Amino acid sequence: MKIVKTIKEVRDQVREWRKEGLSVGLVPTMGYLHEGHESLILKAVKDNDRVVVSDFVNPMQFGPTEDLATYPRDLDHDARLVENAGADLIFNPEPEEMYLDDFSSFVDMSTLTGGLCGKTRPIHFRGVCTVVSKLFNIVTPDRAYFGEKDAQQLAVIKHMVSDLSYGIEIVGCPIIREADGLAKSSRNTYLSEEERKAALVLSKSLFEEKKKIEEGLKDVKTIVSDIRTNIEKEPLAKIDYVEVVSWPDLKAKETVDGQVLCAIAVYIGKTRLIDNFIL
Ligand code: AMP
């Protein structure tokens, strides 16, 4: 397993693999890897001859008041996890390698990015689409792996790949959780002991409502209000949004029919956490 910092090194390596006729998978991450990332890497290793993991805290997807400066980083830990999972290359560029001083081209989307997380994080998906486009152009993978944990991101990337004819298969992977239900996230490290307990309100309220939907509840207003009521019982929690939309086109719904995404974003103290289920 190699760690490289430059676009040229990635291109040279991928060119060698291609000469041998090998397939290539890409797992884009911001590092501080956990079992959620690992599940994507393991799936990529299974599906492809060679796997590249990008490990890059992308400044472009953070708003001015967000946690770019404090986002956790640990490349040594990441390298061990990636190697043990059987991937071949970590691409860990500095921001200057990805964005030259006069950088001025962006990938922006006119649908899918305005609602859910896009409301609170208006420039987020422009940053995500731009960096993922660059990674696709650098690595030229056959397949790329994204977690359902970031369901809107998965929908956005699938749409972008279709719009821009990337010819890359986008593989969605299920949410990996802690034993008590909390969705694994690099940001869980921000939580104090008390906040960690409070954070359980996200998965608990979702599981409870999912069960009700499976038992026949269809009215979206009732579903949203049930989840809100449950979350509001937790004093450390402050709701950003609770929404039920169609999947994967993220349109507003009044009743549950066809595939739906039930997604929530909640501040626990200062930490913004997201969770969801697709039904
Ligand atoms: P991040 O490093 O947070 O940008 O995440 C990189 C990729 O890992 C994204 O596609 C995420 O959706 C995915 N991911 C993060 N946490 C989880 C999780 N708990 N389960 C499954 N996938 C995850």
Side-chain angles (χ1 to χ4, degrees):
M1 206 277 299
K2 268 205 284 193
I3 303 176
V4 300
K5 294 269 189 199
T6 65
I7 293 168
K8 181 176 182 308
E9 286 169 293
V10 179
R11 287 218 165 106
D12 288 349
Q13 177 63 84
V14 172
R15 198 175 301 117
E16 289 303 312
W17 290 337
R18 292 298 188 195
K19 267 194 225 151
E20 295 171 47
L22 301 174
S23 63
V24 178
L26 168 67
V27 183
T29 81
M30 297 209 299
Y32 212 70
L33 304 180
H34 51 64
E35 289 90 338
H37 302 108
E38 186 182 39
S39 73
L40 271 56
I41 301 170
L42 289 171
K43 172 87 175 112
V45 167
K46 211 166 161 201
D47 294 350
N48 302 276
D49 298 316
R50 296 289 181 268
V51 171
V52 179
V53 177
S54 62
D55 187 319
F56 175 57
V57 182
N58 173 36
M60 198 189 283
Q61 70 190 66
F62 288 77
T65 60
E66 294 181 354
D67 56 342
L68 174 61
T70 54
Y71 197 84
R73 293 161 164 89
D74 187 346
L75 186 59
D76 290 342
H77 160 85
D78 292 352
R80 281 193 297 275
L81 185 146
V82 168
E83 177 147 40
N84 289 337
D88 303 278
L89 188 74
I90 293 183
F91 177 41
N92 175 236
E94 294 302 321
E96 303 76 49
E97 175 73 6
M98 293 295 271
Y99 303 116
L100 300 180
D101 282 345
D102 61 350
F103 189 90
S104 48
S105 305
F106 299 89
V107 180
D108 217 342
M109 198 177 281
S110 54
T111 56
L112 299 181
T113 56
L116 304 172
C117 289
K119 267 193 207 146
T120 319
R121 310 187 72 191
I123 61 153
H124 176 67
F125 288 108
R126 184 169 95 145
V128 169
C129 288
T130 303
V131 79
V132 171
S133 292
K134 281 180 67 80
L135 290 169
F136 285 176
N137 288 328
I138 294 163
V139 179
T140 63
D142 299 283
R143 298 176 197 84
Y145 296 78
F146 293 85
E148 287 175 2
K149 161 87 185 343
D150 300 85
Q152 185 177 17
Q153 170 174 279
L154 174 60
V156 162
I157 297 296
K158 277 195 171 166
H159 202 87
M160 179 188 84
V161 161
S162 159
D163 280 353
L164 301 183
S165 310
Y166 268 108
I168 295 169
E169 184 189 343
I170 301 302
V171 182
C173 303
I175 301 177
I176 304 298
R177 298 178 178 280
E178 302 286 354
D180 61 7
L182 179 67
K184 293 206 181 239
S185 164
S186 308
R187 289 190 168 98
N188 291 348
T189 179
Y190 296 146
L191 301 170
S192 68
E193 209 175 305
E194 200 190 357
E195 288 170 341
R196 172 65 182 77
K197 279 185 205 140
L200 274 186
V201 76
L202 280 92
S203 53
K204 267 197 180 156
S205 59
L206 283 177
F207 293 161
E208 203 176 301
E209 213 56 22
K210 184 167 177 234
K211 190 157 169 276
K212 285 195 197 166
I213 298 171
E214 282 163 349
E215 285 165 3
L217 177 60
K218 287 197 181 309
D219 180 52
V220 165
K221 270 196 188 134
T222 311
I223 294 166
V224 169
S225 138
D226 281 355
I227 296 175
R228 282 188 160 271
T229 307
N230 266 333
I231 296 172
E232 279 159 5
K233 282 184 204 151
E234 170 50 61
L236 293 181
K238 192 171 141 273
I239 295 171
D240 178 6
Y241 67 77
V242 174
E243 289 203 41
V244 177
V245 294
S246 57
W247 176 258
D249 49 356
L250 313 185
K251 299 237 166 70
K253 299 280 294 180
E254 284 184 6
T255 51
V256 172
D257 49 25
Q259 272 208 307
V260 293
L261 165 70
C262 177
I264 63 179
V266 178
Y267 291 91
I268 301 292
K270 285 196 178 127
T271 305
R272 184 175 175 279
L273 299 176
I274 56 173
D275 201 348
N276 72 77
F277 62 82
I278 296 167
L279 204 67

